[in-house]
């Protein structure tokens, strides 16, 4: 198939590369000329395992191309995927201006039939707005051309997006037209050979499914963090509780890990957008409000433990920080708990020495002018002269460090473990004070 993908961000680029890997001809469109120039050279602008290889293979085969001319993308593909950003508006609702700009461009330049596929995460009713925008652009040209609008939300996890796309749990397609449904079945057939995973439903149902899925996962995280906060006050080990409840098949283990809150480009934005959608419909979503409030509070919890340990005297102190990205295997720092922690420390006059395997460039872009931040070349070097260590992202390379080396480098043997990476018993034996999430504190 010939496919145009409008947007070369996280969703657009992963989708384009994966479609091309199955033999389709894909043209990826973005108005950012510098970004397109990098992509044409095979330089991925995001960190995602496996993406570099797919990008190189797609370019070398000629099946994956890039353009900064939107009209070229409209003319190229029968399938027109819209995969542009939907950032939060001032009130938290999804801003659809980029989605509707692409819709207008399609209507303004199409000369043949187009199947327009909303891949971006969008509120219920967006397909109707896209359809109206395309129809208006066609009307302005006095043109009558066939088109359809389909919802096909993505369910990709940053850090495993290529694997998720290649081996999906489900493929949700919101469509009514038999032709559109058949085209989508054909497109995704290579990804569902072992088991039929494509689910066809109404367009509005598909749009809501994406928000409901992310809100449900966010709720599990906030619920577990709520349990952890209670457990700390009762002298209970939440990790044992997690195993006890996760073994119940009705609950399961995924997204059942306590920590310092969720971040990234999806959960915070999607929960807020669903909150605003519910409010506009006249419903007060009490549970969604609690999910968001618990997460906001949880992001401040590690700072509170640091402040308590040092008896409120943080000015002039230095904290080492392992992990800047909101999760492992990505460089994404959007809504990351690390940002909340660092900004709180700086406000109290503390310095931060930080390391992350992938997000150093992003941290430099965000905080390059911050005099209280030092970005260190290795995880061990950032410990030198620090008063304590805070672990904020559970990268695998942080899991089994040399504890003796950590003790030698730190001024105080104290670890603030925001992801429950370490065993309290092992750290006690090694002479550390250890503060984690939902487990009794260890003091040296």
């Amino acid at each position: 198939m010939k496919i145009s993908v409008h947007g070369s961000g996280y969703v657009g680029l992963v989708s384009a590369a994966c479609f091309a890997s199955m033999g389709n001809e894909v043209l990826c469109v973005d108005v950012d000329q510098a970004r397109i120039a990098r992509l044409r050279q095979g330089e991925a602008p995001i960190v995602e395992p496996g993406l570099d290889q797919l990008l190189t293979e797609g370019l070398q085969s000629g099946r994956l191309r890039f353009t900064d001319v939107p009209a070229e993308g409209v003319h190229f593909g029968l399938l027109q995927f819209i995969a542009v950003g939907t950032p939060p508006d001032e009130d938290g609702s999804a801003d659809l201006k980029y989605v509707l700009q692409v819709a207008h461009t399609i209507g303004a330049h199409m000369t043949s039939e187009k199947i327009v596929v909303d891949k971006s995460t969008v509120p219920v009713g967006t397909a109707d707005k896209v359809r109206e925008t395309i129809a208006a652009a066609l009307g302005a040209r006095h043109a009558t051309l066939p088109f359809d609008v389909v919802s096909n939300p993505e369910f990709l996890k940053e850090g495993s997006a290529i694997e998720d796309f290649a081996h999906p749990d489900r493929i949700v397609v919101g469509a009514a037209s038999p032709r559109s449904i058949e085209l989508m079945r054909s497109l995704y057939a290579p990804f569902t050979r072992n088991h039929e995973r494509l689910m066809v439903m109404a367009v509005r149902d598909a749009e809501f499914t994406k928000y409901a899925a992310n809100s449900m996962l966010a709720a599990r995280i906030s619920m577990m963090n709520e349990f952890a906060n209670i457990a700390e006050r009762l002298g209970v080990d939440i990790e044992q509780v997690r195993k006890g409840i996760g073994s119940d098949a009705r609950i399961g283990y995924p997204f059942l890990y306590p920590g310092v809150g969720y971040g990234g480009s999806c959960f915070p934005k999607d929960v807020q957008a669903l909150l605003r959608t519910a409010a506009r419909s006249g419903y007060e979503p009490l549970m969604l409000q609690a999910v968001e409030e618990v997460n906001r509070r949880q992001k401040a919890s590690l700072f509170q433990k640091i402040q308590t340990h040092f008896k409120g005297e943080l000015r002039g102190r230095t904290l080492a920080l392992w992990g800047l990205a909101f999760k492992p295997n990505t460089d994404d720092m959007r809504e990351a708990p690390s940002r909340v922690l660092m900004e709180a420390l700086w406000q109290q006059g503390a310095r931060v020495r930080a390391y992350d395997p992938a997000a150093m460039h992003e941290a430099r872009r965000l905080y390059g002018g911050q005099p209280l931040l030092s970005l260190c070349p290795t995880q061990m070097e950032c410990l030198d002269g620090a008063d304590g260590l805070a672990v904020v992202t559970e990268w695998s390379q942080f899991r089994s460090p040399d504890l003796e080396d950590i003790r030698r480098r730190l001024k105080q043997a104290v670890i603030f473990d925001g992801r429950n990476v370490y065993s309290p018993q092992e750290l006690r034996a090694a002479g550390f004070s250890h503060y984690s999430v939902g487990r009794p504190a260890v003091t040296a």
Side-chain angles (χ1 to χ4, degrees):
M1 291 189 182
K2 287 190 173 182
I3 304 166
S4 295
V5 178
H6 296 267
S8 66
Y10 187 84
V11 174
L13 186 55
V14 169
S15 299
C18 289
F19 283 142
S21 73
M22 289 297 172
N24 299 290
E25 294 181 53
V26 183
L27 181 62
C28 193
V29 185
D30 202 298
V31 295
D32 186 333
Q33 294 180 341
R35 191 181 188 92
I36 291 297
R38 288 182 60 192
L39 287 165
R40 285 172 172 164
Q41 296 300 315
E43 298 178 20
I46 57 175
V47 173
E48 182 60 43
L51 180 59
D52 288 338
Q53 180 180 347
L54 286 187
L55 181 57
T56 299
E57 292 173 355
L59 289 168
Q60 290 177 348
S61 69
R63 292 191 301 269
L64 178 59
R65 297 188 295 114
F66 297 92
T67 182
D68 56 13
V69 182
E72 184 182 350
V74 175
H75 294 145
F76 181 78
L78 167 62
L79 294 175
Q80 299 277 320
F81 276 80
I82 300 179
V84 293
T86 53
D89 213 335
E90 290 182 3
D91 65 351
S93 60
D95 187 345
L96 297 177
K97 65 182 177 184
Y98 301 119
V99 170
L100 297 181
Q101 282 175 8
V102 173
H104 175 80
T105 299
I106 292 171
H109 294 284
M110 62 186 285
T111 56
S112 60
E113 179 192 15
K114 301 296 175 185
I115 308 299
V116 180
V117 184
D118 286 337
K119 197 70 173 170
S120 302
T121 300
V122 293
V124 173
T126 298
D128 295 334
K129 294 180 180 179
V130 169
R131 186 177 290 106
E132 292 165 3
T133 301
I134 294 173
L138 285 171
R141 297 165 49 201
H142 305 290
T144 303
L145 293 166
F147 73 93
D148 193 23
V149 180
V150 173
S151 176
N152 176 218
E154 54 84 16
F155 297 96
L156 307 177
K157 300 186 295 292
E158 290 192 44
S160 60
I162 303 298
E163 176 65 20
D164 291 344
F165 202 103
H167 303 97
D169 295 322
R170 76 287 204 197
I171 298 165
V172 172
V173 172
S177 160
R179 173 165 168 75
S180 296
I181 293 169
E182 186 55 37
L183 283 169
M184 295 299 285
R185 285 194 188 280
S186 298
L187 175 63
Y188 280 109
F191 302 98
T192 61
R193 291 185 66 186
N194 294 332
H195 182 68
E196 179 56 57
R197 295 179 175 86
L198 192 139
M199 304 176 183
V200 178
M201 57 186 71
V203 172
R204 293 171 73 89
D205 297 348
E207 291 172 333
F208 192 80
T209 297
K210 169 64 177 183
Y211 278 114
N214 277 356
S215 296
M216 178 67 79
L217 296 174
R220 283 176 66 97
I221 294 170
S222 282
M223 189 77 249
M224 200 62 194
N225 283 332
E226 194 86 298
F227 290 155
N229 293 333
I230 298 170
E232 276 185 29
R233 289 154 176 80
L234 298 178
V236 170
D237 186 341
I238 195 63
E239 290 298 321
Q240 299 303 315
V241 175
R242 178 182 63 80
K243 295 173 186 176
I245 63 177
S247 60
D248 187 328
R250 298 168 300 175
I251 298 173
Y253 291 105
F255 291 85
L256 214 60
Y257 293 85
V260 285
Y262 58 77
S265 63
C266 294
F267 288 4
K269 175 173 69 71
D270 293 353
V271 170
Q272 289 175 18
L274 189 52
L275 278 165
R276 302 305 177 268
T277 297
R280 284 198 296 269
S281 72
Y283 179 75
E284 185 180 8
L286 297 178
M287 181 168 280
L288 285 176
Q289 292 171 2
V291 167
E292 187 177 48
E293 175 57 24
V294 168
N295 193 60
R296 183 198 63 77
R297 188 171 59 188
Q298 198 68 15
K299 286 183 178 181
S301 62
L302 202 60
F303 170 75
Q304 291 164 358
K305 289 171 182 175
I306 292 170
Q307 191 174 44
T308 299
H309 175 81
F310 291 110
K311 298 179 173 58
E313 298 173 359
L314 291 174
R315 184 167 300 279
R317 293 192 182 276
T318 299
L319 269 295
L321 191 150
W322 283 0
L324 294 165
F326 84 95
K327 64 182 287 188
N329 298 318
T330 181
D331 61 346
D332 194 343
M333 289 181 63
R334 285 174 288 185
E335 302 282 345
S338 65
R339 298 179 65 173
V340 175
L341 174 58
M342 289 193 297
E343 289 168 12
L345 289 168
W346 294 332
Q347 191 173 26
Q348 296 298 314
R351 298 186 60 86
V352 173
R353 293 173 58 81
Y355 171 79
D356 187 282
M360 301 293 270
H361 177 76
E362 180 67 3
R364 200 168 287 113
R365 183 186 71 83
L366 291 169
Y367 297 117
Q370 172 54 254
L372 295 175
L373 173 64
S374 299
L375 295 171
C376 303
T378 70
Q379 69 186 71
M380 299 309 286
E381 284 182 59
C382 84
L383 303 174
D384 293 337
D387 293 283
L389 167 63
V391 180
V392 189
T393 313
E394 65 277 29
W395 285 92
S396 57
Q397 70 188 68
F398 298 158
R399 293 186 178 276
S400 300
D402 183 336
L403 294 179
E404 283 302 314
D405 194 12
I406 293 177
R407 276 181 57 87
R408 284 193 298 268
R409 291 172 181 266
L410 291 176
K411 289 181 179 178
Q412 296 186 35
V414 56
I415 295 178
F416 303 93
D417 185 356
R419 297 294 182 181
N420 287 1
V421 174
Y422 307 120
S423 160
Q425 293 76 23
E426 289 182 12
L427 289 188
R428 178 187 288 111
F432 282 86
S433 292
H434 177 242
Y435 301 88
S436 55
V437 182
R439 300 185 292 185
V442 171
T443 53

